[in-house]
């Protein structure tokens, strides 16, 4: 087996794969032999574009609002049915919105927290619950959660985002222990800024230069660079990393 076909025979579900990091992950997995269920929320055209870029055959696209627990579970079941089971889950879908505590009314504040925790944390949690049944049936597997540097560095203008990602890091660590007896390996990758739609308004705005300069490399990550880390964590080459939260932030934030 070479890295070129290391996911041959593997069945992978990637959430939020219509765009950005998730799309790069889906392309990478399919390029190395996996069949991929491309999850998206509303952007069907973008999801179809991802599908059209996947090497090999037998892929599918699936829509669900991950803030809806029943929809998340149903989406996993549909994906597993299409693929004939599941070996790899990448919880990547996420939302980011500004909700500064000193400038919002309580209703807006509440909405922002509910949306952010609902998608970024609970969406991943319930997707995982459903997927774990299939990973156990497959005799083991991989779960990779896409979190954020913000879990450690803080998100002053989006505290629910930082909290959602810190929660997802903790969830990853708990499950690494709980699922080890099933040979299910659980990790997280915590990117800094990445060139995607989520970051575009900030990168093209007045603070863009300062954001790029947070890294001594004087740039932000490309989605493919984060995907490469996800692929490594999803592969059998990284089993002993289970429980790890891997920083992928270009030395823009060094935690001890
Ligand atoms: N970009 C960054 O700078 C950065 C930094 C650190 C961490 N991250 C994390 O990396 C992950 C991917 O981010 P990205 O930058 O690639 O994002 P993106 O380009 O904005 O894409 C977001 C993805 O999440 C899906 N999504 C949004 N709301 C959803 C919902 N309610 N239910 C289900 N799916 C939903 C979107 O589906 P549709 O296309 O259908 O809308 C899309 O596929 C996120 O978890 C993000 O927090 C990003």
């Amino acid at each position: 087996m070479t890295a070129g076909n290391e996911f041959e025979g593997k069945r992978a579900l990637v959430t939020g794969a219509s765009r950005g990091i998730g799309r790069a992950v889906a392309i990478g997995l399919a390029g190395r032999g996996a069949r991929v269920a491309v999850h998206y929320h509303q952007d069907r055209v973008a999801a179809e574009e991802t599908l059209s870029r996947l090497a090999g055959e037998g892929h599918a696209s699936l829509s669900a609002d991950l803030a809806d627990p029943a929809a998340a579970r149903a989406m996993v079941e549909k994906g597993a049915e299409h693929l004939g089971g599941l070996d790899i889950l990448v919880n990547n879908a996420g939302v980011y919105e500004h909700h500064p505590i000193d400038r919002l009314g309580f209703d807006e504040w509440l909405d922002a927290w509910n949306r952010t925790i609902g998608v970024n944390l609970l969406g991943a949690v319930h997707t995982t619950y459903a997927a774990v049944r299939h990973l156990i049936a497959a005799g083991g597997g991989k779960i990779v959660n896409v979190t954020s540097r913000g879990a450690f560095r803080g998100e002053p203008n989006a505290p629910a985002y930082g909290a959602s990602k810190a929660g997802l890091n903790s969830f990853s660590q708990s499950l690494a222990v709980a699922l080890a007896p099933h040979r299910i390996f659980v990790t997280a990758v915590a990117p800094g800024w990445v060139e995607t739609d989520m970051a575009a308004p900030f990168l093209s705005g007045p603070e863009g230069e300062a954001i790029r300069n947070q890294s001594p490399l004087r740039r932000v990550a490309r989605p493919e660079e984060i995907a490469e880390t996800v692929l490594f964590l999803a592969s059998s080459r990284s089993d002993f990393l289970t429980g790890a939260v891997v920083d992928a932030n270009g030395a823009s934030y060094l935690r001890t």
Side-chain angles (χ1 to χ4, degrees), residues 99-116:
H99 50 279
I101 192 166
D102 54 352
R103 271 168 275 163
L104 286 196
F106 185 66
D107 287 348
E108 291 169 288
W109 169 256
L110 197 57
D111 284 350
W113 273 86
N114 284 337
R115 267 194 302 273
T116 306

Side-chain angles (χ1 to χ4, degrees), residues 4 14 86 143 149 241:
V14 184
L86 272 184
I143 300 172
R149 180 188 72 169
L241 264 67

